């Protein structure tokens, strides 16, 4: 009964540091003050994470990634510890949490699968292997499990130091608004052709009365 607790402590602690400090690549000085600039390689990686986490509960929208959605990198020489990779593949083939199902890190088996997926990412020997496996996992594995393992790998891989993942309310905005917000936005979009980001390229207002939901009788 102690093992589930171990998974919770490790993953819960790590996920609390999802938004790390930005550590660009090249250092310089402007007016005597230290300034750091990201190089092209770093920016390519940062762009990849923004794209792969876009609309997490929907199919991948970027055609350049689609060729890698059907199969992970199978060459054992592309991993630093293929034994751990093989353990994850065996678990996957036996059956893991399906896409669209509720994920919680407090479930022992879900936590175990998440750690195995993290090791699958972590053992990729280079960026090419890593990003292809990430694309495959994004397309085939549970969204919550994928996000947790991806966050762990970004925090621990040396070649990803400085990468910043989107805030949780940007990845899962539907968890931070109630139905009134979506209903109001839907109605305005249906009645006003100028409503919406693509129409006016600016902020749009959707109303919700959160105060009405608070208890007033004690």
């Amino acid at each position: 009964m102690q093992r589930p607790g171990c998974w919770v402590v490790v993953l819960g602690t790590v996920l609390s540091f999802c938004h790390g400090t930005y550590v660009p690549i090249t250092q310089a000085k402007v007016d005597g003050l230290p300034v750091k600039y990201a190089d092209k390689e770093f920016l390519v990686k940062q762009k990849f994470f923004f794209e792969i986490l876009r609309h997490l509960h929907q199919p991948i929208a970027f055609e350049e990634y689609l060729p890698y959605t059907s199969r992970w990198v199978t060459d054992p020489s592309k991993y630093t510890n293929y034994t751990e990779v093989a353990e994850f593949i065996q678990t996957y083939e036996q059956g893991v949490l399906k896409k669209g199902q509720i994920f919680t890190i407090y479930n022992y088996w879900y936590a175990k699968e998440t750690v195995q997926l993290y090791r699958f990412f972590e053992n990729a020997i280079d960026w090419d292997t890593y990003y292809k496996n990430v694309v495959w996992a994004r397309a085939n594995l549970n969204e919550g499990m994928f996000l947790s393992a991806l966050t762990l790998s970004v925090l621990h891989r040396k070649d990803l130091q400085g990468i910043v993942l989107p805030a949780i309310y940007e990845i899962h905005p539907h968890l931070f608004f109630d139905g009134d917000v979506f209903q109001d936005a839907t109605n305005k979009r249906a009645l006003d052709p100028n409503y919406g980001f693509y129409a006016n390229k600016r902020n749009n207002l959707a109303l919700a009365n959160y105060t009405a939901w608070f208890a007033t009788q004690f």
Side-chain angles (χ1 to χ4, degrees):
M1 297 299 295
Q2 294 180 349
R3 293 184 64 187
C6 293
W7 295 119
V8 171
V9 171
V10 172
L11 292 174
T13 302
V14 172
L15 290 177
S16 66
F17 291 96
C18 178
H19 300 93
T21 303
Y22 176 55
V23 186
I25 309 302
T26 305
Q27 299 188 24
K29 285 190 175 182
V30 175
D31 296 331
L33 299 176
V35 178
K36 298 181 180 180
Y37 299 95
D39 58 18
K40 182 177 180 180
E41 179 183 356
F42 179 89
L43 295 176
V44 167
K45 294 177 180 179
Q46 182 67 76
K47 177 175 176 288
F48 167 77
F49 286 102
F50 285 152
E51 292 177 343
I52 208 66
L53 291 174
R54 178 179 173 84
H55 297 163
L56 185 59
H57 291 268
Q58 299 178 16
I60 297 175
F62 299 90
E63 293 185 1
E64 61 187 289
Y65 302 137
L66 297 183
Y68 310 116
T69 58
S70 59
R71 190 67 173 172
W72 61 84
V73 178
T74 58
D75 185 356
S77 66
K78 295 295 185 179
Y79 300 94
T80 56
N81 186 339
Y82 190 72
T83 300
E84 292 183 342
V85 173
E87 290 177 356
F88 164 73
I89 298 303
Q90 182 180 20
T91 299
Y92 171 74
E93 292 177 343
Q94 291 175 346
V96 295
L97 185 66
K98 303 297 183 183
K99 289 179 68 68
Q101 295 183 346
I102 296 176
F103 169 80
T104 172
I105 207 64
Y106 297 102
N107 179 289
Y108 170 73
W109 296 108
Y110 298 168
K112 183 176 181 180
E113 292 169 4
T114 301
V115 171
Q116 289 181 327
L117 177 58
Y118 155 70
R119 290 171 178 165
F120 174 63
F121 291 153
E122 180 69 12
N123 282 303
I125 199 170
D126 53 27
W127 167 252
D128 184 71
T129 303
Y130 174 84
Y131 98 83
K132 289 179 180 178
N133 284 342
V134 167
V135 172
W136 171 81
R138 162 70 166 80
N140 294 278
L141 299 180
N142 178 270
E143 298 84 356
M145 184 182 301
F146 168 77
L147 179 60
S148 298
L150 184 73
T151 301
L152 290 170
S153 69
V154 169
L155 288 171
H156 288 280
R157 283 185 64 94
K158 293 182 179 180
D159 58 349
L160 298 179
Q161 294 301 302
I163 292 294
V164 178
L165 298 180
I168 190 65
Y169 53 81
E170 295 176 339
I171 299 176
H172 296 302
H174 57 285
L175 300 180
F176 294 83
F177 303 100
D178 61 15
D180 290 344
V181 175
F182 295 100
Q183 187 64 46
D184 185 68
T186 300
N187 292 340
K188 289 181 178 178
R189 184 68 183 90
L191 299 174
D192 184 0
N194 294 320
Y195 186 85
F197 175 78
Y198 290 103
N200 57 36
K201 304 297 182 183
R202 60 180 175 80
N203 294 331
N204 297 275
L205 180 64
L207 301 178
N209 187 3
Y210 288 99
T211 306
W213 291 99
F214 287 103
T216 57
Q217 301 296 326
F218 299 97

